[in-house]
Each structure stands twice: as structure tokens, then as C-alpha cells.
Amino acid sequence: MGSGNGFFSTQEFNLDSKWLIDPQQLFVGPKIGEGAHAKVYEGKYKNQNVAIKVVRRGETPEEIARREGRFAREVAMLSKVQHKNLVKFIGACKEPVMVIVTELLLGGTLRKYLLNMRPKCLDMCVAIGFALDIARAMECLHSHGIIHWDLKPENLILTEDHKTVKLADFGLAREESLTEMMTAETGTYRWMAPELYSTVTLRQGEKKHYNHKVDAYSFAIVLWELIHNKLPFEGMSNLQAAYAAAFKNVRPSAEDLPEDLAAIVTSCWQEDPNARPNFTQIIQMLLHYLSTVSPPELVMMPPKRTTSENVVFPPESPGTSSLMAARDDVAETQKTVDGEDRRKGFFFCFNQCY
């Protein structure tokens, strides 16, 4: 695994000095998320509220090399692109532990937002507005030759006013020019493009069978979910949904959608990746549809829920659904960060609670 710029080396960690975080100025507050390979905390860096992702190094040499490579790749992706619909990267450091620091988004994940709203659906104009946010983020990534590979509601975070969606979690992102092979852990089956399943079992060195159009397929599933506020392939497990999509060409029903909108969804999830539109085309199609519908009605935001009412959804990949403060879940611990004298230093937290 490698790249000429050194970002993808597991042996060294190269990062422009402007992105290097000083651990001495990093203060850790309450934990707001945990995945298989990382924990995410709310905290402060130079008096700015931030999300702090601490990546576990692993136990075996192979595991350490794999996680260091993934960490370097994610940092490279985050530092390479900036866009209003991508989570803002603040910096990273590799010692004493691997840390990624980003802006703290207070609106929660799109997944949780939609779940709190059920059985109601988003106003159509609001749903299309969110879809445009996502499509613009993806257009930016693809213009830099980056495939996200893990586009799903858990990786889409809302701003505090619930008016903007930002794409997060670049742990699986790749440069399209690289020929690194897929692994079974890549992506989340329910949202993954069908062509990815055949690459999972390819031998190292065989020609890859995917390109940036895998993200267009995932976008179609997310768009369908935005409109219907239902889990795609409802009633199926993740693996059953993957099998149905890949080997039976099954898709969620688009029959009840307006013609123009159905055309967008079905074109994006076509079986032939080359027949799917790119995100510049998707944006134009969404804008055209938006121009044909009436202005959005006043939409009631889902009510705040207390800790006892909330369901906690563990992240499915490191950092997923964790680049935000779940204010309804950590209200009691928020004062830990607000009080300067009560904050934990980074090294204290590492030694005491990691």
C-alpha cells in the first residue's frame, strides 16, 4: 500500500505542519461514540469545540500496519479536500496515539434524525435539499479523484439548525487511481453497489471492477431513504439485501415517486456502473426537479428526547455517527468541557480512560 506523496505509507506519517495537532493543547471531554477501532470524544482544541477521534493501534503487527495505513489514508483525504458539505478537518497527530480532530457538529446523524421523525416523512423540498448537500460533497470528492465507498445515513451529519448535511468518516475513502483491492469489511452491505461484491473475492493483482460510480449507487439508496423515511430493503438482513441487489437485481420500489424523481433514483442505481450519472449530472437533475415543485411547507423538527427516551446506535465503522455531540445524550456531562478547570488534558485522558 503506497503513494508517491507518502500519505499512504504505514512506515511514516507525512502531514503538512499546518495540520499537525499539538496534544498539549487538546482537552478531552465526554465520550460521544465508539466503534470497533476508535473512540470519539467531545473536546476543545485552542478553545474551539471539536470532535476528537482516537484510533486504536491494534495488537498484532499486521493489525497495527493496517490501522496505521487506514489512519494515514483518512488524514490524507481530510486534509486534501475542503467543502461546505464535508466535515471540516482541523488536524491530526500520530503520537502518543493516532488522533483526528474535526469540527463538532451538533445536529446528530441523518440516521437518528430520520428515526426520530418516523412515521412522518421529510417535506419533499427539504429531502431534495439534503440530497443536494450530499451530491455536492460527493462531486467535490470525485473531482479530487476520491471514492468515499461508505455513503450512508450514519456518515451524514446535520448542523445544529438541521438545515445542512455534511459528509463524514473518510476511513474507507480511496484515491481512484490506486489499485488496492476491496476487503469484506469495506462499506456497509445495504448501501453498497452490487459490483463491489464480486471484487471482495478477487485475488490480489486481478483487475478491479469498480470505479467512482459505486458512490452513485449508494447515493440512490440514501435518496430513496430520504424520501420514504424507511429502511431500504426492509425485512431483509444486510447480507440478504446485498445478495438480492447483486444477484437478483432487486431495488427498493420507485413506483410511487414523481416521474422526474424516479428517473434520478433509478438511473443512479442501474446495474451497469457506466450507465449511472456522475454527481455533476445528478445535481443538475435535482435542481431541475426542485424548480418544478412548490416551496417547502413549514416542517416541524423532531422533538428533543431525554436520555431515557433515546435509543443509542453504536457506530458501524470508526468515527461513524460520532462527529457530533448528542446533546440529548450528554447534557449532564457537557459542563465537563465548558469549565476550563474541569477539563481533562489529553495525556490524562489517555492514561486514565483509554
Side-chain angles (χ1 to χ4, degrees), residues 231-248:
L231 184 69
F233 304 103
E234 204 164 26
M236 299 184 190
S237 69
N238 283 336
L239 286 176
Q240 287 172 332
Y243 182 86
F247 301 107
K248 296 184 178 180

Side-chain angles (χ1 to χ4, degrees), residues 2 48 94 123 174 206 228 232 234 258 260 294 300 315 329 347:
Q48 177 182 359
K94 191 177 179 181
D123 175 271
R174 298 288 194 281
E206 287 192 18
H228 292 87
E234 204 164 26
D260 288 350
S294 57
M300 294 299 293
D329 291 333
F347 292 102

Side-chain angles (χ1 to χ4, degrees), residues 1-256:
M1 184 169 68
S3 172
N5 60 17
F7 273 122
F8 298 92
S9 171
T10 59
Q11 302 302 316
E12 58 179 322
F13 176 65
N14 295 332
L15 185 64
D16 190 299
S17 59
K18 71 178 181 180
W19 299 117
L20 286 174
I21 288 293
D22 177 6
Q24 298 286 357
Q25 298 191 57
L26 197 60
F27 293 91
V28 179
K31 184 173 70 176
I32 56 176
E34 182 172 359
H37 310 304
K39 294 181 181 181
V40 182
Y41 301 87
E42 180 179 353
K44 281 186 178 290
Y45 182 65
K46 296 182 177 179
N47 294 318
Q48 177 182 359
N49 293 327
V50 296
I52 303 167
K53 177 177 175 179
V54 183
V55 182
R56 300 185 184 94
R57 266 201 166 85
E59 303 295 333
T60 67
E62 295 79 11
E63 191 175 39
I64 291 171
R66 185 168 59 251
R67 292 187 186 179
E68 287 186 348
R70 178 170 174 162
F71 168 77
R73 185 170 58 241
E74 182 171 6
V75 170
M77 298 295 103
L78 285 166
S79 63
K80 185 177 181 180
V81 293
Q82 292 83 42
H83 189 273
K84 66 178 182 179
N85 295 119
L86 296 173
V87 65
K88 182 182 177 182
F89 177 63
I90 294 173
C93 63
K94 191 177 179 181
E95 301 295 342
V97 292
M98 295 183 288
V99 171
I100 295 174
V101 180
T102 65
E103 67 177 317
L104 185 68
L105 297 174
L106 305 179
T109 67
L110 180 60
R111 179 191 187 193
K112 192 169 186 178
Y113 182 78
L114 291 174
L115 281 170
N116 285 346
M117 181 172 279
R118 287 179 184 170
K120 295 180 180 179
C121 294
L122 290 171
D123 175 271
M124 185 63 79
C125 289
V126 174
I128 300 304
F130 285 171
L132 278 166
D133 284 345
I134 300 165
R136 286 168 175 146
M138 294 308 308
E139 181 186 41
C140 175
L141 288 186
H142 287 185
S143 72
H144 286 82
I146 298 170
I147 306 172
H148 190 272
W149 277 12
D150 202 19
L151 183 57
K152 58 184 178 181
E154 289 91 338
N155 288 340
L156 295 162
I157 317 297
L158 278 75
T159 53
E160 187 174 15
D161 61 7
H162 293 146
K163 291 183 178 180
T164 303
V165 170
K166 296 193 179 190
L167 178 61
D169 199 341
F170 287 63
L172 297 179
R174 298 288 194 281
E175 286 188 326
E176 189 170 7
S177 60
L178 300 180
T179 57
E180 186 178 7
M181 302 310 297
M182 286 284 190
T183 64
E185 70 173 0
T186 299
T188 306
Y189 290 124
R190 194 176 298 270
W191 289 269
M192 282 172 64
E195 63 267 22
L196 295 183
Y197 307 124
S198 62
T199 68
V200 167
T201 56
L202 285 179
R203 297 189 301 274
Q204 182 71 27
E206 287 192 18
K207 185 178 179 180
K208 62 178 182 175
H209 293 267
Y210 62 89
N211 58 23
H212 64 280
K213 295 295 183 73
V214 299
D215 287 334
Y217 176 92
S218 299
F219 174 82
I221 303 298
V222 172
L223 176 55
W224 185 93
E225 199 169 349
L226 277 170
I227 296 165
H228 292 87
N229 198 8
K230 294 179 181 177
L231 184 69
F233 304 103
E234 204 164 26
M236 299 184 190
S237 69
N238 283 336
L239 286 176
Q240 287 172 332
Y243 182 86
F247 301 107
K248 296 184 178 180
N249 202 28
V250 173
R251 302 287 188 272
S253 174
E255 292 180 359
D256 58 341

